[in-house]
Amino acid sequence: MDEPFEEGASLRRAYHGETSSTPINTSTADARSIHTRTGNIHSESESGSEYVPRFDDYGDEHSVVPLRRMRSSQEALIQNRESDMDVITGWLYNGPLQRAKYEDFSTIDWIYESTKARHYKNDLRVQTRSMGMKGRLELLADSSKSWMVLLAVGVTMGLIATCISVSSQWLIDIKGGYCRTGFYLNRRFCCWNADNVCLDWVTWSELLHVHWRWLDWLLQFIVFVFDAILFAGISTYLVTEYAPYAAGQGIAEIKTIMSGFMMRRFLGLRTLSIKCVGVVLSVASGLSLGKEGTMVHIACCCGNIYSRVFKKIKHNEVKRRELLSAASAAGISVAFGAPIAGVLFSLEQVSYYFPAKTMWRSLFCATAAAVTLKLLNPFRNGKLVSFQVTYDRTWDLFELWFFVAIGVICGIAGMLQNRLTLFLMEYRQHSVLKNFARGEVLVVALATAAISYMSVYLRADMVTLVSNLFTECTGQETDGLCSRSDRTGNVFSLLVTSVLRVLLTSVACGLAVPAGMFTPSMATGASIGRAFGMVVQTLYENHPSWRLFGACRPDVPCITPGVYALVGAASMLASTTRMTVTVVVIMFELTDALIYVLPIMLAVTVSKSVADAFGKDGYFESIIHLNGYPFLSMDQEYVLHGTSDELMVRVSEMTVVEANGETLQSILKLLRESSYSGFPVVKSHSSLALVGYISRSDMLMVAERARVSSVYSEASPCCFARGSVELPMAHAQMLDFRPWVDSTPITISHGTDVNLVAEMFRELGVRYVLVIHHGALLGIITKKDIVRTVRMHSRNQARSALPYIPAWLSTSLRPAHSPVQQNRLPIFSSESQAL
């Protein structure tokens, strides 16, 4: 059984510590019957105690209707005897039934929620069948609720992305000066009509009439560092004080939520507000973080908030997660101007349960967001994002070898960045730094600003840097990246920038500010790719007669360093996130050049393969493991060894409930003294014949309401099993738990292969399975047990495959202390760490 948890001091373990996997498309009856043949329960039932659950119109509660049962005179007497009859008495007869609300850090019941949705749809069709045109309109209105939510999410994301892009760029530019014609204008809009020299943009040195060069540099440096500390300080204060869940990127937590885990307030309105404001400030501070990754969290927050409007979605966790999957596509759509990539991101990275209809909804939401962003036109150039570029040159076959080399380099660099980031995160969790979250942000902001100001490539904001690295050089350009005389210096500067960017990004990830790592990874890869392309270009210009360059035509530029930067950005992003198709489509939609898909695909494949050689988990999966979230990946195949007997918690170590031998006093005592998330129900302690399973939350809800009711006393008997006999008059206040007892839990026979058990958890979405032998309870296996076994197996495999990995490099391979076992106070030592 699960370890006990301390309320108020440590986080509650999810329902026996387990999260649920996504159920396959089978009905509840089908899923139950599969395992009934392996040894399910066949409880005796009499006509006087057979109950059938019925769901109401909203699908969030159901009534218990007795079958072939007339109300006895004793029951009528009880109802007439108590004028203040509690609703609990009604549950015993024919009253409403509500499932207990899911607790925070618990998991949803996928089977129950899916069945509830089907009952709601069937009941609505039955009700509207005889209503004619009015019924058809009601069905249409009901089916349009999800589309209305997604449309609202798409439009809202377009507005939010516009505000974040414009405001963050203005704060970035304000560190260097202001516009005399309009203080609200950033440098680009202030100098919109200027050719070479912009007279309307005034630096702070010019405002103070400083003419000495060294004093001018010092003043600009002081203002740059001061603004960086100020913006970072405000951002971390807002996060730590008002919305701890707004810290970090949030995608790892969203993946966990999609798998069925409950994290209340993570997708709330306060988190959304602080996330939007904080990401602007953190990006403007100059920290090596980006705003693109946070758009996914913001989009899911919008989807969660809008879904509360309709009770059909609000009270069904499966429906809500389907909409969150579609909403996440809008985040990538506005972040990169890539609606198709948004759909693929939802499918490849975020979603745990992705039916066919969700793909169409994702495309609709992503398109609505992209169209809104296009109409608002925040950059006044018709582009959805500022680093969109176009190429008019092709590539030659011999360049594939160079693209492969870039993929190898970026694969190693991305792996090192992930491992260094996780090492620093784990170090924060076990050091005094976790108690100084705000001070750490200020120190890192100071160091980053001081280092970045020394390099033009680090001082520029990453969006502008990526845009410049992607851009081709025309014949008229002779400065900057296109300078031939200073090409060696540019290559050296870009390589130094790449190394520093990896270090700064590793330090910044995990700080108590809202930001992501998409753009920093792309900037690092683009710097590596551009430097590599410039080296190849120099080789071609100095040795055009080499056989390697035999396919080049003398009248056409042969090497385009901007394409190498594009390939490097894609490779680095793929190695850190382990995404493939999504990254390729993002780059395709950024360039509008189908001809470069093959080089990008090749480099991405090589980069991911190299990174996978050091571990299959990407950045988000590593965060999940580091934080101890109960999550089973649908992408990985596990080859485990053992049987259910070795994995289960034996019945001797469990607390079970007797079907008809408990009283209200004993139930309350059981709930006070034990912290288990559920209890198997048996006929007797001697036979251990399995009757069913009841969750702690349901039992606690019924017992607490009965305790404060005037109908029941502590001596009132409790009934957990169907088939109980009629009670005499003296025991008429029987507390009926039967509607909450799962009388057909998923069961397996002893000796079942552990791989089959893992597949049941992953595919059926169950939270627990009971191990039986000829109907007698032997033990229980929870999601936590499967997750622990899988992670131990993965660590052992990684260590045996790579025994030479140094300790800091194998951080993600070591067992991490789960935040679920730590206190509730924010630690901010890992991405979006509010646990």
Side-chain angles (χ1 to χ4, degrees):
M1 295 292 288
D2 285 350
E3 299 82 9
F5 60 85
E6 299 178 4
E7 294 188 10
S10 63
L11 298 181
R12 298 186 177 182
R13 306 292 284 178
Y15 201 83
H16 273 298
E18 68 282 316
T19 53
S20 63
S21 307
T22 307
I24 58 176
N25 294 327
T26 60
S27 65
T28 304
D30 295 334
R32 305 284 193 191
S33 62
I34 292 173
H35 303 285
T36 300
R37 291 191 292 269
T38 65
N40 213 332
I41 310 100
H42 299 276
S43 302
E44 299 87 351
S45 59
E46 297 180 2
S47 60
S49 60
E50 189 76 6
Y51 285 77
V52 172
R54 291 185 180 274
F55 297 91
D56 68 356
D57 293 342
Y58 300 109
D60 59 338
E61 60 185 32
H62 60 276
S63 302
V64 176
V65 182
L67 289 180
R68 302 180 301 277
R69 180 174 184 267
M70 300 298 293
R71 192 175 68 170
S72 65
S73 59
Q74 295 178 357
E75 296 169 352
L77 180 61
I78 294 173
Q79 286 187 326
N80 296 330
R81 185 175 61 185
E82 296 290 345
S83 58
D84 58 343
M85 181 68 65
D86 192 89
V87 70
I88 299 177
T89 307
W91 290 338
L92 179 60
Y93 310 109
N94 191 14
L97 168 66
Q98 289 185 345
R99 291 292 297 268
K101 187 178 181 180
Y102 293 115
E103 295 181 352
D104 203 8
F105 307 108
S106 64
T107 54
I108 67 172
D109 188 341
W110 282 93
I111 295 178
Y112 170 77
E113 298 292 336
S114 301
T115 305
K116 187 167 60 176
R118 286 195 296 270
H119 276 264
Y120 168 78
K121 183 180 295 185
N122 293 335
D123 290 346
L124 183 62
R125 289 175 178 173
V126 171
Q127 294 175 6
T128 58
R129 186 173 300 168
S130 59
M131 297 173 61
M133 182 58 66
K134 182 180 179 181
R136 294 189 183 95
L137 293 177
E138 187 172 346
L139 285 175
L140 180 62
D142 180 78
S143 61
S144 64
K145 292 177 181 178
S146 300
W147 300 100
M148 294 170 61
V149 170
L150 295 177
L151 178 62
V153 171
V155 174
T156 304
M157 283 307 300
L159 295 171
I160 291 177
T162 300
C163 295
I164 290 177
S165 298
V166 174
S167 56
S168 61
Q169 190 61 49
W170 180 78
L171 288 178
I172 290 172
D173 292 340
I174 207 68
K175 293 189 295 184
Y178 74 98
C179 183
R180 72 170 78 243
T181 58
F183 189 78
Y184 57 90
L185 296 175
N186 59 35
R187 182 167 186 171
R188 184 167 177 267
F189 288 157
C190 182
C191 305
W192 187 263
N193 296 321
D195 294 330
N196 296 323
V197 180
C198 181
L199 301 178
D200 293 331
W201 186 257
V202 182
T203 63
W204 300 116
S205 300
E206 294 174 350
L207 178 65
L208 298 178
H209 305 287
V210 176
H211 302 291
W212 293 348
R213 185 175 181 180
W214 66 270
L215 189 58
D216 177 16
W217 183 93
L218 181 61
L219 179 61
Q220 291 294 121
F221 173 78
I222 293 175
V223 174
F224 185 87
V225 174
F226 175 79
D227 287 345
I229 297 175
L230 177 64
F231 296 155
I234 297 175
S235 179
T236 187
Y237 175 79
L238 293 175
V239 169
T240 56
E241 188 70 20
Y242 299 105
Y245 280 130
Q249 190 160 264
I251 295 180
E253 286 75 12
I254 290 175
K255 286 172 66 71
T256 308
I257 291 174
M258 292 298 185
S259 69
F261 197 57
M262 296 293 297
M263 296 178 66
R264 302 194 183 280
R265 298 181 302 278
F266 185 80
L267 301 177
L269 181 60
R270 176 180 293 186
T271 302
L272 172 64
S273 304
I274 299 301
K275 190 91 172 184
C276 293
V277 177
V279 70
V280 173
L281 294 169
S282 60
V283 170
S285 68
L287 291 170
S288 187
L289 298 168
K291 62 181 183 294
E292 283 71 21
T294 61
M295 293 297 181
V296 178
H297 187 188
I298 293 175
C300 290
C301 287
C302 294
N304 181 66
I305 294 171
Y306 286 133
S307 65
R308 299 174 185 173
V309 177
F310 304 108
K311 296 184 67 176
K312 165 190 173 182
I313 307 171
K314 177 182 179 181
H315 297 292
N316 192 288
E317 296 298 333
V318 172
K319 289 293 183 183
R320 190 200 297 254
R321 278 159 177 74
E322 290 179 3
L323 289 185
L324 292 181
S325 297
S328 64
I332 296 297
S333 177
V334 298
F336 297 101
I340 301 177
V343 178
L344 295 175
F345 176 83
S346 177
L347 173 63
E348 184 177 4
Q349 188 62 239
V350 173
S351 297
Y352 201 82
Y353 176 48
F354 199 86
K357 61 181 179 181
T358 304
M359 180 174 293
W360 165 224
R361 291 176 177 177
S362 301
L363 181 61
F364 174 78
C365 188
T367 303
V371 170
T372 304
L373 190 63
K374 182 73 173 181
L375 292 176
L376 295 175
N377 194 15
F379 307 106
R380 297 297 184 267
N381 56 6
K383 297 181 179 180
L384 297 181
V385 291
S386 60
F387 49 83
Q388 277 186 323
V389 295
T390 56
Y391 297 111
D392 55 3
R393 302 173 186 171
T394 184
W395 55 277
D396 293 306
L397 189 61
F398 72 88
E399 292 183 276
L400 290 179
W401 297 106
F402 299 133
F403 296 147
V404 170
I406 293 176
V408 172
I409 296 173
C410 291
I412 297 175
M415 179 273 300
L416 292 175
Q417 178 178 299
N418 282 358
R419 295 298 169 83
L420 181 58
T421 301
L422 295 174
F423 171 77
L424 294 176
M425 286 181 178
E426 189 177 7
Y427 176 77
R428 289 189 185 103
Q429 286 186 353
H430 302 95
S431 66
V432 296
L433 289 178
K434 64 181 180 181
N435 301 321
F436 303 96
R438 299 176 184 176
E440 183 187 10
V441 172
L442 297 180
V443 171
V444 174
L446 171 62
T448 302
I451 295 174
S452 300
Y453 197 79
M454 306 301 174
S455 171
V456 63
Y457 297 121
L458 290 173
R459 184 167 66 246
D461 64 285
M462 279 178 287
V463 173
T464 302
L465 175 62
V466 172
S467 178
N468 292 336
L469 293 174
F470 285 176
T471 304
E472 291 183 0
C473 290
T474 59
Q476 293 77 19
E477 295 176 348
T478 58
D479 299 329
L481 290 172
C482 299
S483 174
R484 293 190 177 184
S485 59
D486 195 26
R487 184 173 292 170
T488 303
N490 284 332
V491 170
F492 178 77
S493 298
L494 287 174
L495 294 178
V496 173
T497 299
S498 303
V499 175
L500 292 176
R501 182 71 69 189
V502 169
L503 296 176
L504 295 176
T505 302
S506 301
V507 174
C509 288
L511 296 178
V513 292
M517 44 72 66
F518 281 167
T519 309
S521 299
M522 292 178 62
T524 302
S527 300
I528 295 175
R530 184 82 183 204
F532 197 96
M534 294 168 69
V535 171
V536 176
Q537 187 181 34
T538 302
L539 289 177
Y540 168 70
E541 292 175 352
N542 295 333
H543 307 280
S545 59
W546 279 8
R547 187 174 182 180
L548 178 65
F549 305 114
C552 296
R553 291 183 294 175
D555 56 335
V556 177
C558 185
I559 306 298
T560 305
V563 174
Y564 287 73
L566 181 70
V567 172
S571 302
M572 189 69 181
L573 188 58
S575 64
T576 53
T577 63
R578 301 299 198 275
M579 295 188 300
T580 53
V581 181
T582 302
V583 173
V584 173
V585 175
I586 286 176
M587 296 304 167
F588 164 66
E589 293 189 83
L590 283 176
T591 60
D592 295 329
L594 186 61
I595 193 173
Y596 293 107
V597 169
L598 181 58
I600 294 174
M601 289 177 60
L602 179 62
V604 164
T605 302
V606 172
S607 176
K608 183 180 183 301
S609 301
V610 171
D612 284 344
F614 297 88
K616 298 293 184 181
D617 292 332
Y619 178 74
F620 307 122
E621 291 78 14
S622 299
I623 294 296
I624 290 175
H625 294 167
L626 181 66
N627 293 339
Y629 297 140
F631 177 83
L632 279 178
S633 176
M634 297 288 288
D635 301 329
Q636 298 184 10
E637 295 183 2
Y638 309 113
V639 182
L640 308 176
H641 304 285
T643 63
S644 58
D645 299 345
E646 304 171 10
L647 190 61
M648 70 179 182
V649 178
R650 301 187 180 278
V651 68
S652 58
E653 306 171 13
M654 299 162 54
T655 300
V656 298
V657 176
E658 199 168 1
N660 295 303
E662 306 287 349
T663 63
L664 179 59
Q665 181 181 11
S666 65
I667 293 299
L668 292 173
K669 181 181 179 181
L670 174 65
L671 293 172
R672 284 194 305 268
E673 295 179 352
S674 65
S675 303
Y676 303 133
S677 298
F679 305 92
V681 180
V682 297
K683 284 186 177 181
S684 64
H685 291 287
S686 58
S687 66
L688 291 178
L690 184 61
V691 174
Y693 187 92
I694 185 170
S695 68
R696 176 188 178 88
S697 57
D698 289 337
M699 183 186 292
L700 181 63
M701 178 189 68
V702 179
E704 286 296 327
R705 292 187 181 182
R707 184 178 61 83
V708 299
S709 172
S710 61
V711 178
Y712 302 99
S713 64
E714 290 188 350
S716 297
C718 300
C719 178
F720 290 87
R722 300 179 181 180
S724 58
V725 297
E726 287 288 339
L727 296 175
M729 181 66 181
H731 300 284
Q733 297 97 336
M734 180 187 70
L735 184 57
D736 193 5
F737 285 90
R738 286 176 292 180
W740 289 270
V741 175
D742 183 5
S743 59
T744 57
I746 303 297
T747 61
I748 59 175
S749 299
H750 75 102
T752 304
D753 184 72
V754 68
N755 292 284
L756 177 60
V757 178
E759 284 300 311
M760 290 171 58
F761 278 99
R762 193 163 60 170
E763 300 292 342
L764 292 179
V766 296
R767 299 181 289 179
Y768 59 88
V769 294
L770 301 175
V771 184
I772 63 173
H773 180 62
H774 297 304
L777 178 65
L778 296 182
I780 187 173
I781 301 176
T782 65
K783 192 75 169 185
K784 182 185 67 176
D785 301 322
I786 294 294
V787 171
R788 184 190 298 115
T789 302
V790 168
R791 290 179 181 172
M792 290 179 61
H793 176 73
S794 300
R795 287 195 297 269
N796 293 336
Q797 271 193 333
R799 286 171 178 170
S800 62
L802 297 170
Y804 54 87
I805 294 182
W808 71 270
L809 195 58
S810 60
T811 299
S812 62
L813 304 180
R814 298 198 303 269
H817 294 276
S818 170
V820 184
Q821 299 173 348
Q822 301 173 6
N823 56 49
R824 280 184 179 270
L825 298 178
I827 299 174
F828 301 110
S829 56
S830 62
E831 182 190 24
S832 193
Q833 179 63 282
L835 302 180

